[in-house]
Amino acid sequence: MSAGKKILIGITGSIAAYKTPLLVRQLVKAGAEVKVIMTPAAEDFVSRLTLATVSKNDVLVNLFDEATWANHVHLGRWADLFLLAPLSCNTLSKMAHGSCDNLLLATYLSATCPVVVAPAMDEDMWHHPTTKRNLAAVESDGCSIIPVKHGELASGLIGDGRMAEPEEIVSWLDAFFARQNSLSGKKALVTAGPTYEAIDPVRFIGNHSSGKMGIAIAEELVKRGASVTLVTGPISLQAKGLRRISVTSAAEMYAACTGVDYDIAVMAAAVADYTPVEVADKKIKKNSGELTLTLKRTQDILGSLGKQKRDGQLLVGFALETDNEREGALKKLREKNADLIVLNSLQDEGAGFGHDTNKATLYFRNGEEKNLPLKSKTALAKDIVDTITELVK
Ligand code: CTP
């Protein structure tokens, strides 16, 4: 799977760097073209000469070598994938905060290809809250993480933090490249964020949806090769590599979605169920009495796509319930003719609106259920899109 791929490997200052020449050798043997860059600290652990020999390419460390400038932009654009292995605690922290004091970091900041990291550190560093925060930050910036292993560490302790073995990294990359094109040729429609229903020119009825989950799913679909239309309510989060339609109200979201041809539709938006019957054309002034707003139902986008669903189309809905969660999710699956319902629970710490993490239960038409534990919304999006890919097959 790595055959023919251009892989840029970044090595940082960690004892696990002694394994990287073997990794480079295995990738080259598998038919990949490999270039290596290093931080100055990595040179204490592994030699440039060894890496140049096994990669069959010059190894760069510095942004400037005498009168020559290393073109980090070119390196980041040359690669099909940038793998940081091993990733030290120090470089992780710099990546999370946007530091750019060496060639490897400059390349990371200018890379347009997927970035994968294989961390390596001692157990206590690995479990430190700062490391967790930094790892979550780089993951939400789009990096994929090869999990660390449990075993003997440089300190002599046994614990978590070992870099994955070279052959495990090679298998991980094979699976990554296989997934990359698994949805190519498929058209996807995704909704995300809240809707705002105007009451008057300055007020609206809205909700707390941040749009993070829907955007993570849309970006994951893009990574698998799907051509994605993302319809968002009023949110400022950016999304890469797709066609975006920005709307405000439920009626606008409905209009934007109808007419979009799709193979996969994921309705992750928190669409208002009700909207004011009348919108005042001037700001409503207060008085001493009560104010009554009359609301009418909005059109149900998921329900309407469900009614018109053709063979070969896959429809995914979301549910967020405060009680009778399972019954509520199964009812939506049936009544809206969805193929999959993703249930978020408001009762779980760290899950739901605004958080960077989420947990979910998936409900399938054949009665199957799958629990996805609390993880970052980016990681959860990968699991959901894995499931979608299986269903599309
Ligand atoms: N949805 C939609 N269009 C609407 C309302 C909801 O597409 N006008 C979609 C959401 O994007 C989500 C699912 O339907 O995928 C949520 O269903 P919904 O009926 O809104 O859930 P609740 O309002 O929470 O359910 P109920 O009040 O019926 O319990």
Side-chain angles (χ1 to χ4, degrees):
M1 283 296 177
S2 299
K5 298 287 182 195
K6 296 188 183 105
I7 301 177
L8 178 65
I9 297 191
I11 308 181
T12 71
S14 154
I15 182 66
Y18 82 88
K19 295 182 188 171
T20 309
L22 203 60
L23 171 65
V24 173
R25 175 86 190 104
Q26 290 185 10
L27 288 170
V28 170
K29 245 175 123 177
E33 195 181 338
V34 179
K35 287 188 182 178
V36 177
I37 56 175
M38 299 163 80
T39 62
E43 285 201 280
D44 290 335
F45 297 93
V46 67
S47 97
R48 221 198 261 215
L49 178 62
T50 309
L51 289 155
T53 310
V54 288
S55 69
K56 303 185 173 81
N57 274 309
D58 287 344
V59 174
L60 298 174
V61 176
N62 301 311
L63 267 168
F64 306 96
D65 275 328
E66 292 168 3
T68 323
W69 175 65
N71 192 335
H72 55 87
V73 177
H74 173 75
L75 275 170
R77 291 192 172 232
W78 167 84
D80 295 317
L81 184 135
F82 183 20
L83 168 69
L84 284 96
L87 173 66
S88 68
C89 213
N90 186 37
T91 297
L92 168 64
S93 159
K94 289 181 176 182
M95 285 165 73
H97 294 91
S99 293
C100 187
D101 62 1
N102 61 40
L103 169 68
L104 185 144
L105 289 163
T107 307
Y108 167 63
L109 288 171
S110 46
T112 49
C113 61
V115 179
V116 177
V117 301
M121 55 198 82
D122 232 90
E123 159 134 301
D124 297 330
M125 295 166 90
W126 174 250
H127 287 299
H128 196 281
T130 315
T131 306
K132 287 193 184 142
R133 245 189 343 263
N134 289 339
L135 211 55
V138 300
E139 191 178 41
S140 86
D141 289 341
C143 293
S144 302
I145 298 163
I146 302 182
V148 297
K149 310 298 285 183
H150 184 87
E152 192 177 348
L153 301 162
S155 60
L157 295 172
I158 307 285
D160 296 330
R162 274 173 73 90
M163 184 176 84
E165 295 302 322
E167 50 278 15
E168 290 169 325
I169 296 180
V170 172
S171 309
W172 195 99
L173 293 178
D174 282 348
F176 181 89
F177 286 126
R179 268 201 315 270
Q180 237 183 355
N181 295 318
S182 54
L183 292 176
S184 69
K186 298 287 178 200
K187 293 187 276 287
L189 167 66
V190 181
T191 63
T195 61
Y196 288 178
E197 308 304 315
I199 297 170
D200 69 15
V202 293
R203 302 180 180 98
F204 59 83
I205 301 171
N207 61 68
H208 296 298
S209 169
S210 63
K212 285 179 185 168
M213 194 65 238
I215 288 196
I217 290 176
E219 290 194 323
E220 190 57 35
L221 287 162
V222 170
K223 284 185 191 162
R224 314 281 176 112
S227 134
V228 179
T229 302
L230 171 68
V231 182
T232 52
I235 48 170
S236 53
L237 284 177
Q238 300 298 306
K240 291 183 286 265
L242 42 77
R243 179 169 84 107
R244 177 154 180 184
I245 306 173
S246 299
V247 300
T248 303
S249 66
E252 287 169 7
M253 192 171 275
Y254 178 84
C257 290
T258 45
V260 176
D261 187 26
Y262 71 88
D263 303 297
I264 300 159
V266 183
M267 302 286 102
V271 190
D273 290 326
Y274 291 93
T275 190
V277 170
E278 277 173 35
V279 182
D281 57 359
K282 293 209 173 70
K283 186 178 164 215
I284 299 171
K285 302 296 280 181
K286 63 178 161 303
N287 57 40
S288 54
E290 289 177 348
L291 173 71
T292 305
L293 288 174
T294 310
L295 306 177
K296 61 179 180 189
R297 286 292 303 271
T298 56
Q299 272 165 307
D300 187 334
I301 309 165
L302 176 62
S304 132
L305 294 184
K307 282 198 186 100
Q308 297 158 27
K309 195 170 68 174
R310 299 189 312 262
D311 274 358
Q313 287 185 315
L314 185 92
L315 192 52
V316 182
F318 271 69
L320 184 74
E321 309 281 350
T322 47
D323 42 23
N324 296 331
E325 300 180 308
R326 187 169 179 276
E327 291 70 25
L330 291 173
K331 187 163 175 265
K332 283 190 198 13
L333 188 70
R334 258 191 334 269
E335 292 182 353
K336 302 198 186 204
N337 195 23
D339 299 288
L340 180 70
I341 289 286
V342 182
L343 171 77
N344 298 305
S345 173
L346 267 183
Q347 290 158 5
D348 292 300
E349 180 113 1
F353 285 143
H355 292 287
D356 288 328
T357 50
N358 204 5
K359 72 183 271 196
T361 309
L362 308 184
Y363 293 90
F364 298 79
R365 283 194 88 85
N366 63 3
E368 216 185 295
E369 296 176 17
K370 196 196 253 176
N371 284 315
L372 301 175
L374 190 71
K375 50 180 85 179
S376 73
K377 287 187 172 169
T378 326
L380 196 69
K382 283 195 186 108
D383 290 351
I384 293 170
V385 176
D386 279 346
T387 301
I388 288 173
T389 309
E390 283 301 312
L391 290 173
V392 164
K393 268 192 209 155

